[in-house]
Amino acid sequence: MKISRLKLAFKDARGSIRDILDNVPLNSIAILSSKKGVVRGNHYHKKTVQWLYLLQGRVRYVARPVKGGPRRQAIMKPGDLAVSPPGEAHTVVALEDSEFLAISRGPRHGVNYEADTYRLEAPLVKSPKTSRAA
């Protein structure tokens, strides 16, 4: 898991530009919304890299290597970008009503949305509500 703030690429009197990803081949960009308290994820991908770019709200991003290691977490705010490489379990908890982009490179996209998704037997975060994985 890596969380970063995007750097300014360009600015003038009209406004500014921040590149979310630059020179990265992608397969999918999806917009997800989550109500406060919803837990999404609790899964990992064997071949897919997944980025999460927070548009609005606040979320807790939790991750750990599937093969073991420490569980890490970060509070994300709008403009933050998280990346989970293949083999990293990840979960998103909406601390407020939130909207984010789920960006992926690999076999998990479109009609193959579940093709490279492996659910965790023991979730990183237990869901207080019934929520589908993202």
Side-chain angles (χ1 to χ4, degrees):
M1 171 181 79
K2 179 181 176 185
I3 306 286
S4 57
R5 292 288 291 163
L6 301 181
K7 294 181 179 164
L8 199 59
F10 179 83
K11 184 175 180 179
D12 67 12
R14 299 169 294 170
S16 64
I17 298 173
R18 285 182 171 78
D19 294 324
I20 296 174
L21 296 171
D22 185 25
N23 202 26
V24 177
L26 302 173
N27 294 104
S28 172
I29 301 173
I31 299 173
L32 288 82
S33 64
S34 290
K35 298 289 185 186
K36 180 180 178 178
V38 168
V39 176
R40 290 184 178 268
N42 281 318
H43 63 238
Y44 68 97
H45 312 291
K46 290 182 180 178
K47 298 177 182 175
T48 301
V49 178
Q50 187 169 317
W51 293 266
L52 183 147
Y53 179 74
L54 192 62
L55 297 167
Q56 65 182 29
R58 224 168 36 99
V59 302
R60 180 167 50 111
Y61 197 84
V62 183
R64 74 163 165 71
V66 172
K67 293 183 178 181
R71 187 180 105 153
R72 299 174 315 191
Q73 59 185 343
I75 304 300
M76 295 178 64
K77 56 188 180 214
D80 285 348
L81 178 70
V83 60
S84 283
E88 183 175 82
H90 51 274
T91 300
V92 177
V93 181
L95 303 174
E96 302 173 358
D97 289 355
S98 299
E99 189 169 70
F100 52 91
L101 300 178
I103 305 164
S104 62
R105 179 181 68 219
R108 183 186 195 240
H109 61 89
V111 296
N112 296 317
Y113 189 74
E114 294 293 323
D116 188 34
T117 300
Y118 300 88
R119 308 276 174 233
L120 298 174
E121 289 182 28
L124 290 172
V125 178
K126 292 185 180 178
S127 178
K129 301 178 179 181
T130 303
S131 59
R132 281 194 46 102

